[in-house]
Amino acid sequence: DTEVTQTPKHLVMGMTNKKSLKCEQHMGHRAMYWYKQKAKKPPELMFVYSYEKLSINESVPSRFSPECPNSSLLNLHLHALQPEDSALYLCASSQVEFNEQFFGPGTRLTVL
Amino acid sequence: SQELEQSPQSLIVQEGKNLTINCTSSKTLYGLYWYKQKYGEGLIFLMMLQKGGEEKSHEKITAKLDEKKQQSSLHITASQPSHAGIYLCGAQRGNYGQNFVFGPGTRLSVLP
């Protein structure tokens, strides 16, 4: 299994909602990432988990809360988002930090 | 200012033509990665270059790293419509992979 899966594919939420994005991989990778990508821009790194511990937080607002329940799963909890947070959220994993990264298809998030 | 610059920003070529995409770093490179993204989808890893002068090929795509010039090139031979997409170079910041950044991307269209 060389796939990174992300759910949901699309998400529309209001500014007062709480929602979660989910990412899963079964490749035995020990590093997992969340990226945010705005239209016509490159992905921007948000968080890195290495061996299930948060290793990098790129000064992301606290309304985004990552969680790594186990080595295969990565969640991104969303609360009180702003319309400017609307973007494609990409999850990736790699054997070790920043080696060849395998990306999921992304969750397209719209905040109303 | 961006750490990674790519040129050209976009490229339209006729099927069968060769093309080159360049990536230049404003900082020392500790590892240079090439990814391809189909519009609105996840990224696909192409190649990783770590040593100055390194050159790697996969099918019709060749990437080279010029560490002294802090730049890399991606060359596609005999382009096909399947090569269309956005090509992104990415690099680790710091020798211990403290972070990861992408260039702005080069949008490639291949006309049949």
Side-chain angles (χ1 to χ4, degrees):
Chain A
D1 186 358
T2 57
E3 211 180 22
V4 175
T5 58
Q6 288 187 245
T7 54
K9 205 168 183 178
H10 299 276
L11 179 62
V12 179
M13 60 186 289
M15 290 190 284
T16 57
N17 292 158
K18 282 186 182 179
K19 297 285 184 183
S20 296
L21 309 185
K22 182 179 170 183
C23 174
E24 196 165 2
Q25 58 89 11
H26 294 287
M27 294 176 277
H29 289 171
R30 303 317 299 262
M32 295 186 77
Y33 316 79
W34 281 114
Y35 286 89
K36 175 183 175 180
Q37 187 175 28
K38 300 283 276 184
K40 297 188 178 181
K41 296 288 185 183
E44 291 179 355
L45 186 65
M46 299 174 73
F47 301 104
V48 180
Y49 272 83
S50 185
Y51 291 87
E52 300 163 47
K53 291 186 180 176
L54 183 64
S55 89
I56 294 175
N57 175 342
E58 277 298 302
S59 303
V60 179
S62 59
R63 56 185 184 268
F64 294 91
S65 175
E67 179 197 17
C68 189
N70 59 56
S71 59
S72 300
L73 274 176
L74 186 66
N75 298 320
L76 186 64
H77 302 298
L78 314 172
H79 173 55
L81 293 194
Q82 305 296 310
E84 59 264 29
D85 296 322
S86 298
L88 181 68
Y89 287 84
L90 294 162
C91 173
S93 71
S94 62
Q95 281 188 335
V96 293
E97 275 192 19
F98 302 125
N99 209 348
E100 174 187 349
Q101 294 177 58
F102 288 74
F103 281 80
T107 293
R108 188 160 297 283
L109 173 68
T110 303
V111 182
L112 300 176
Chain B
S1 62
Q2 283 190 329
E3 291 184 37
L4 294 176
E5 299 283 348
Q6 287 186 237
S7 62
Q9 282 188 339
S10 64
L11 196 52
I12 303 174
V13 299
Q14 204 70 41
E15 184 176 359
K17 295 293 185 186
N18 302 336
L19 63 105
T20 299
I21 298 168
N22 294 300
C23 174
T24 303
S25 174
S26 60
K27 299 185 178 181
T28 302
L29 286 170
Y30 294 100
L32 193 288
Y33 301 74
W34 284 100
Y35 287 85
K36 178 186 173 185
Q37 185 176 28
K38 288 283 194 181
Y39 305 109
E41 297 180 9
L43 281 68
I44 299 168
F45 172 79
L46 296 175
M47 265 167 278
M48 174 177 71
L49 304 164
Q50 290 192 301
K51 298 176 186 175
E54 189 171 11
E55 180 175 323
K56 288 187 178 177
S57 293
H58 178 67
E59 296 179 345
K60 294 185 178 180
I61 300 177
T62 300
K64 299 179 187 178
L65 178 62
D66 186 333
E67 203 171 59
K68 285 181 183 176
K69 292 184 182 177
Q70 296 179 179
Q71 66 183 32
S72 176
S73 61
L74 186 84
H75 184 78
I76 298 177
T77 305
S79 57
Q80 300 168 354
S82 60
H83 287 127
I86 301 168
Y87 289 81
L88 296 138
C89 61
Q92 293 171 214
R93 282 181 190 158
N95 203 12
Y96 298 99
Q98 285 95 328
N99 202 335
F100 195 88
V101 292
F102 282 101
T106 294
R107 193 173 292 257
L108 172 64
S109 300
V110 180
L111 303 177

